[in-house]
Amino acid sequence: MSSPDLHPDLEAVRFLLGTWEGAGKGVYPTIEPFAYREEVRISHVGKPFLVYGQRTWAESDGRPLHAETGYWRFPPGGRVELVLAHPTGVVEVEEGTIAGTTLELATTSVGRTATAKEVRTLARRVSVEGDVLRYTLDMEAVAEPLQRHLDAELRRTA
Amino acid sequence: MSSPDLHPDLEAVRFLLGTWEGAGKGVYPTIEPFAYREEVRISHVGKPFLVYGQRTWAESDGRPLHAETGYWRFPPGGRVELVLAHPTGVVEVEEGTIAGTTLELATTSVGRTATAKEVRTLARRVSVEGDVLRYTLDMEAVAEPLQRHLDAELRRTA
């Protein structure tokens, strides 16, 4: 397993590569607002997709909160596809567009295990300026319309 | 982000934890038989699920082959749930049972991106004896019935 060259199809999204660390804030009508820390890792293996993993933990006491893992794909024409697994027992496909260093995606498909409790629909905006990655995540839950849930700013640390 | 204790619900599956490395063989009516190397990482974050990532590369020339990432869940009653993302643009839910140190699962749900080419249904058997993990994977593709596709033996290296 060597360290391969970046696939040429990924040159336009090289700005996403790295380990990103920072903090965010979460809000939603059904919960108390909360502050979290986050680590995102985006890497590649020489093929035309990016490997993605993320975890968050509570600013207050360090307990683990959310995590997700999957792959980013970049079909021609400025399109973006994200396939994700969530430890809540949910798998999700998000699709959207990329313009410059900004990506906008929304859930197009959700699957779940027999014991998964919640299915949520997401809309995600990720924007990179140099070594700063900012994202917002809007969420539609069973009884709540699509609305802001997360807002975070991360810095590239590796 | 500290290194937390294993969640008590995972005591019975502690045998899965670690980094596993080894080799496997792939066959299918539509392709030439092939030999591959593999690395599997199974870890935890203190919550009642396991974090899973895997990649394979060709024995012949080291080029990357498949990868998958996701989470293992263990509902009561000897059940197993696996949520997976594949870089082919496919998300997948597998469900099954665990008995001793053997897990048997089959695909129960598949989702895909607009550009994903193939949707396959899988049946997976994973068995651990000490520091050896063996698995078989059967695959049903569009025009082929469910049959053996992969067979591998890995050793715990960390």
Side-chain angles (χ1 to χ4, degrees):
Chain A
M1 216 164 34
S2 55
S3 183
D5 293 337
L6 190 67
H7 191 283
D9 290 358
L10 297 179
E11 274 303 335
V13 294
R14 184 187 281 277
F15 66 89
L16 285 169
L17 288 170
T19 300
W20 303 85
E21 296 178 87
K25 289 194 171 141
V27 294
Y28 211 65
T30 52
I31 55 172
E32 288 295 310
F34 63 99
Y36 62 91
R37 304 288 304 171
E38 178 164 10
E39 183 187 79
V40 171
R41 289 172 187 265
I42 301 176
S43 61
H44 76 98
V45 296
K47 295 182 90 170
F49 58 81
L50 296 179
V51 182
Y52 170 70
Q54 174 262 32
R55 47 193 288 201
T56 60
W57 56 103
E59 183 80 66
S60 54
D61 60 5
R63 74 186 185 285
L65 296 176
H66 186 70
E68 60 192 28
T69 181
Y71 303 95
W72 294 83
R73 290 157 55 89
F74 302 92
R79 285 186 294 160
V80 182
E81 299 177 343
L82 176 59
V83 286
L84 284 179
H86 301 268
T88 50
V90 171
V91 292
E92 187 198 359
V93 175
E94 295 184 20
E95 296 178 86
T97 56
I98 176 169
T101 58
T102 298
L103 303 92
E104 296 194 276
L105 303 100
T107 305
T108 54
S109 164
V110 175
R112 59 171 170 169
T113 66
T115 64
K117 289 199 186 77
E118 301 171 84
V119 172
R120 294 154 165 189
T121 299
L122 306 178
R124 187 186 301 257
R125 184 179 189 276
V126 178
S127 195
V128 174
E129 288 179 57
D131 288 331
V132 177
L133 181 154
R134 294 181 187 87
Y135 75 83
T136 57
L137 190 114
D138 295 349
M139 181 168 78
E140 180 183 347
V142 178
E144 300 289 340
L146 187 69
Q147 60 195 283
R148 181 59 36 86
H149 175 45
L150 303 177
D151 193 330
E153 183 173 311
L154 314 179
R155 288 186 174 272
R156 193 180 341 238
T157 58
Chain B
M1 216 167 32
S2 54
S3 183
D5 292 338
L6 190 67
H7 191 285
D9 290 359
L10 297 180
E11 275 302 335
V13 293
R14 184 187 282 274
F15 66 88
L16 285 169
L17 288 170
T19 300
W20 303 84
E21 296 179 88
K25 288 193 173 144
V27 293
Y28 211 66
T30 53
I31 56 172
E32 287 295 309
F34 62 101
Y36 62 92
R37 303 287 304 170
E38 178 164 10
E39 183 188 80
V40 170
R41 289 171 188 264
I42 302 176
S43 62
H44 77 99
V45 296
K47 296 181 88 169
F49 58 83
L50 296 179
V51 182
Y52 169 69
Q54 174 263 29
R55 47 192 289 200
T56 61
W57 57 102
E59 183 80 66
S60 55
D61 59 6
R63 74 186 184 285
L65 296 175
H66 186 70
E68 59 191 29
T69 180
Y71 303 96
W72 294 83
R73 290 157 55 88
F74 302 92
R79 284 186 295 160
V80 183
E81 299 177 342
L82 175 58
V83 285
L84 285 180
H86 300 268
T88 49
V90 171
V91 292
E92 187 199 0
V93 175
E94 295 183 20
E95 297 178 85
T97 55
I98 176 170
T101 57
T102 298
L103 304 91
E104 294 194 277
L105 303 99
T107 305
T108 54
S109 164
V110 175
R112 58 170 170 169
T113 66
T115 66
K117 288 198 187 76
E118 301 173 83
V119 171
R120 293 153 164 190
T121 300
L122 306 178
R124 188 185 299 258
R125 183 178 191 279
V126 179
S127 194
V128 174
E129 287 179 57
D131 288 331
V132 177
L133 182 154
R134 294 182 187 86
Y135 75 82
T136 58
L137 190 112
D138 294 351
M139 181 167 77
E140 179 183 349
V142 177
E144 299 291 340
L146 187 69
Q147 59 196 284
R148 181 59 37 86
H149 175 44
L150 304 177
D151 192 331
E153 182 173 310
L154 314 179
R155 288 186 175 271
R156 192 177 345 236
T157 58

